[in-house]
Amino acid sequence: MIIPMRKMRLIIFQQDEKTVLEALQKTGEFMPIESKETTTTSSLSENAVSRSDDLQRTHQMLKLSNQYHKKYHHKFLEQQPEISYETFLKENLKGKEVCKKFQVYDNQLKALDADIGQCLKEIETLQPWEKMDIPLNQLKKDQYISVIVGMVPEISETALTKVAEEAGAEIKTYGKNKKNICFIILQTNKEMPELMAQLKKLEFSSVNLPDYPCTAAQKLKEFKEKIAIDQQKKNEIDQCMQELSKDEKDIKLLAEQYETKQQIQNINFLETKETILIEGWVCKDRINLIKNIIHNTIDYYDLKFLKPVKSDFPPTVTRNPYFWAQFETITDMYSKPNPSEIDPALIAGPWYWVIFGMMMGDVGYGLCMLIIFYLFKKIKKPRGNSAKLINTLFYSSFTTIIFGFLFGSYFGETWHPILFAPLANPLKMLYFTLVVGILHIFSGMAIKIAENIRDGHFWDAIFDQVSWMMLISGLGLLFIPSARFAGKILAITGAAIILCTAGRENKKLAKKIVGGLLGLYNISSYLSDILSYSRILALSLATGVIGMVMNLLARMVAVNIGGMIVALVIYIIGHSFNLAMSLLSAYVHDSRLQYIEFFNKFYEGGGKPFKPLSIQSNHVNVKIDKNNK
């Protein structure tokens, strides 16, 4: 059910701001409202910029640590550490130290990478000249002789030699750089201009070799040794970072501490010289709790709780019994209910549960789901919406087992069905799914009837929902010989009501008539929605057929001991694949039936989620002693 909300207005002295906000954050029951009249920000935001930088830096180090942690540690088996609220408030000094070390190592790695990159560039330049036995700093022009170092395309090698010989120059070629020939030419200073003119015709390009007092080969050896040393240093740093990543939980804790503090610092309030006004939403049934918190925290304050006015748009808080609450995540993924409508979770949850079981419908797969999701819950301890989603799948394993018994399906094998086997009686299964679809749609229309009656629109409920229920029921009864007459009466009555009332909002008679006819045409939409439930049959058959094929393949190869081993592999891989695909399909198509066929009949949504000031820890479990609130 949707919990009524109240707007809290609290006036306190500025010096109490931090104490009060931390107390409210600890309760997790107060959602601050950003004041439109705010002229200044909270005094606590003075350190917000530096805190934001710390948080950003910590996240960067966490990302870096995660690369090593993910690589060397099995995160799935890790459990979230549990700490007290008091410990959580103390800044994690170890986490800061680990971040600093990661920062130092990261800087060293970047410096080494830059150094290696520079060496590789030098190697690329010098490699073609490795066989040249002249020190590089001697390739200079002197008083009589000029030295040309350069390259020409490989196809010009013969022409190059000819040009050099004709000019009387001394030429020596070395290695190749891509598709170019590397060479040096010695020529007198006087005759060099003429030689250069000939070389340009051969697409000559000059090379400026670095001025090292050694040969290219010696320098190449030196660079390669340097790269090897740098690589060794990188490996040592990698090992250090790998070891350091074992303390990743301390970085996570530090990041969450920064986020928690920043949450308070980012809030803006209206303030005067001495006081501040804190406004926010609280659930009506938590008012006494908030009053006690404020009373126990400070001595001087002014506190009021106001009903939302027409211009307010309070957030939506739903609170249902534990079983139904787990299915809220299915509704929330579509849209949060708005505060003026009925929470659909009490009806939508059980329907999702039942339809999921019908789609899977296999005892073996249900048992696998039960074991997998139970272990996941125990090991990973998911929280929030993740926990609800896992619980939804865990509970759906029970309906999968139940419908597995009803359909007699055990890992794709059919054995003594209580109702019928979908593979053997697909027509029966189709009728069954259509009846379920009609009941599902009717339950949505029943919610709309309740909303109309609650809002004083009794006749709207009769004209817009009951009439359609009569028409659809009547058409359904026409297929039962003993109830055919009653079906005719119901269908005609429902159609007459729709025809006479669907255009009632129009003022002119002609428009009323046209509106009635168009309203009756909506029968095609209803029939389309009902036929959409045949996807339950399709998924049920797909699960059964794939499972049966896997069993058949396994039996075909199980003719000896070796074949039995292969059959076991086929059996395990095949059914694991079928289970995964069926799970995904059931989750998607069941949600689709809820969102399109069911919600379409009554649900508006558009609600705003309740985001209280709270300790939102994703990596550690913070234990809050409620007795100390």
Side-chain angles (χ1 to χ4, degrees), residues 160-323:
L160 173 68
T161 308
K162 187 178 177 183
V163 167
E165 288 175 356
E166 289 176 353
E170 185 177 346
I171 182 170
K172 191 165 186 180
T173 57
Y174 295 99
K176 293 180 182 177
N177 184 354
K178 297 178 181 175
K179 293 186 178 179
N180 293 318
I181 296 293
C182 301
F183 64 92
I184 64 171
I185 291 181
L186 302 180
Q187 179 65 298
T188 60
N189 292 338
K190 184 180 178 182
E191 294 172 312
M192 181 54 77
E194 185 180 347
L195 177 60
M196 283 296 293
Q198 294 297 322
L199 290 176
K200 283 179 182 175
K201 294 178 182 175
L202 302 177
E203 299 181 31
F204 162 80
S205 58
S206 177
V207 175
N208 293 318
L209 291 175
D211 189 21
Y212 294 123
C214 57
T215 63
Q218 290 170 329
K219 203 62 190 175
L220 282 170
K221 183 184 177 189
E222 189 179 318
F223 281 131
K224 287 174 182 174
E225 288 174 351
K226 194 168 188 332
I227 288 176
I229 292 170
D230 286 350
Q231 196 58 52
Q232 178 62 30
K233 287 180 182 175
K234 280 187 67 177
N235 292 339
E236 291 172 2
I237 292 173
D238 273 343
Q239 287 179 358
C240 293
M241 293 177 88
Q242 178 190 337
E243 187 67 23
L244 202 59
S245 69
K246 290 179 181 175
D247 295 325
E248 188 185 81
K249 60 181 183 301
D250 288 298
I251 307 178
K252 290 178 177 175
L253 175 58
L254 182 67
E256 298 203 329
Q257 288 173 331
Y258 285 150
E259 286 168 0
T260 301
K261 289 178 181 176
Q262 198 177 40
Q263 196 183 23
I264 290 179
Q265 291 164 347
N266 287 342
I267 300 172
N268 294 329
F269 298 117
L270 189 65
E271 67 176 15
T272 65
K273 188 176 179 182
E274 298 289 339
T275 63
I276 62 168
L277 169 64
I278 298 175
E279 282 190 319
W281 294 107
V282 297
C283 295
K284 185 182 175 184
D285 57 358
R286 296 289 191 269
I287 287 178
N288 287 334
L289 173 66
I290 298 295
K291 281 181 178 175
N292 289 335
I293 292 293
I294 303 298
H295 178 72
N296 294 334
T297 305
I298 55 176
D299 295 326
Y300 304 103
Y301 61 89
D302 180 68
L303 178 62
K304 289 179 182 174
F305 293 93
L306 309 171
K307 284 185 72 172
V309 295
K310 199 172 181 180
S311 59
D312 288 329
F313 187 53
T316 303
V317 176
T318 53
R319 203 166 291 143
N320 293 302
Y322 184 79
F323 174 79

Side-chain angles (χ1 to χ4, degrees), residues 32-151:
I33 298 174
E34 292 289 326
S35 174
K36 295 178 181 176
E37 300 171 357
T38 299
T39 55
T40 183
T41 55
S42 164
S43 60
L44 295 177
S45 62
E46 291 174 359
N47 298 323
V49 176
S50 63
R51 188 72 66 190
S52 176
D53 292 340
D54 289 340
L55 179 60
Q56 190 177 4
R57 198 161 36 246
T58 305
H59 276 303
Q60 286 174 352
M61 294 305 105
L62 184 59
K63 192 176 177 183
L64 183 64
S65 166
N66 197 36
Q67 293 174 5
Y68 291 88
H69 199 73
K70 197 174 179 181
K71 189 174 178 182
Y72 296 105
H73 305 282
H74 298 288
K75 296 182 79 173
F76 181 79
L77 298 176
E78 287 184 0
Q79 292 191 4
Q80 292 183 341
E82 194 171 80
I83 62 173
S84 67
Y85 174 73
E86 289 70 23
T87 305
F88 184 78
L89 289 185
K90 296 175 187 171
E91 194 167 272
N92 187 1
L93 298 178
K94 186 179 176 185
K96 289 184 79 171
E97 188 61 31
V98 173
C99 276
K100 280 183 184 174
K101 287 182 180 176
F102 261 115
Q103 183 75 62
V104 171
Y105 288 142
D106 188 40
N107 291 339
Q108 290 176 351
L109 279 180
K110 286 176 180 171
L112 288 170
D113 283 337
D115 198 31
I116 290 173
Q118 186 60 35
C119 289
L120 290 173
K121 268 187 179 177
E122 295 283 356
I123 288 173
E124 187 181 5
T125 305
L126 295 176
Q127 193 68 50
W129 310 93
E130 188 177 10
K131 294 179 181 176
M132 186 172 68
D133 54 358
I134 306 171
L136 296 170
N137 60 352
Q138 293 183 12
L139 299 173
K140 293 178 181 176
K141 178 180 178 183
D142 63 16
Q143 187 176 359
Y144 304 103
I145 301 298
S146 292
V147 180
I148 296 176
V149 181
M151 296 182 292

